[in-house]
Amino acid sequence: DAGVTQSPTHLIKTRGQQVTLRCSPKSGHDTVSWYQQALGQGPQFIFQYYEEEERQRGNFPDRFSGHQFPNYSSELNVNALLLGDSALYLCASSRTGAAEAFFGQGTRLTVV
Amino acid sequence: ELKVEQNPLFLSMQEGKNYTIYCNYSTTSDRLYWYRQDPGKSLESLFVLLSNGAVKQEGRLMASLDTKARLSTLHITAAVHDLSATYFCAVDRDKIIFGKGTRLHILP
């Protein structure tokens, strides 16, 4: 089992551009959540996807959007990038009703 | 709004000493998690606590949960340098809410 995998691992974008981050959940998991972790801070919940729909959303602007595919993989899209969007983006997967969520290795996004 | 507070935020301690990290949360929750994060790395799950009075131990780390007090503790016994990391507690209420983390530095 490969666990939760994210791609790419590192990314540099220019302010105003758009970015797509990808996540493949752990085998058997159907729920994917995305988090933003700024340097020196705790992860902040962005949103959660289940059955291809956004189930929960944190306090992030509409520039942040996502998608879940039939195979449960997920994408996080960020439009009109700001310098403040520079962070580690973490994906976590879980199985509905299970106690534990597993995190991927993250994507380090740098906006210049 | 669910809030999770950890203290201390920074901790520098000598090898061989014992210490406790505290995690308070503001509303009832189904689950409480403890994670470890090394610099530049992702989150490693340490403990999942599901019920009042739950206690789990792994090596030199022991976590406990008091749901009535809305308090969890992570106790470190006879610390070793390899335990240096940032430790997060997180509470699950449909979505996982993290504390700010405790940056632990263990001096050899």
Side-chain angles (χ1 to χ4, degrees), chain B residues 72-86:
Chain B
S72 179
T73 61
L74 180 67
H75 187 74
I76 303 156
T77 302
V80 293
H81 181 67
D82 286 351
L83 291 178
S84 297
T86 299

Side-chain angles (χ1 to χ4, degrees), chain B residues 3-55:
Chain B
K3 292 183 179 179
V4 180
E5 293 186 353
Q6 286 182 239
N7 70 84
L9 298 182
F10 298 94
L11 179 56
S12 182
M13 55 192 291
Q14 295 281 342
E15 275 192 325
K17 300 291 187 182
N18 304 332
Y19 210 82
T20 301
I21 300 171
Y22 297 88
C23 175
N24 290 92
Y25 54 98
S26 58
T27 62
T28 57
S29 171
D30 297 331
R31 302 158 191 161
L32 188 134
Y33 307 92
W34 284 97
Y35 290 93
R36 169 181 171 150
Q37 188 176 40
D38 292 298
K41 304 294 185 182
S42 188
L43 298 167
E44 174 190 353
S45 177
L46 296 174
F47 301 107
V48 181
L49 303 171
L50 300 177
S51 60
N52 187 43
V55 177

Side-chain angles (χ1 to χ4, degrees), chain A residues 37-54:
Chain A
Q37 186 178 22
L39 199 61
Q41 302 295 317
Q44 299 291 314
F45 175 78
I46 303 175
F47 41 54
Q48 182 183 82
Y49 277 85
Y50 171 70
E51 292 190 342
E52 302 180 51
E53 292 200 357
E54 184 181 290

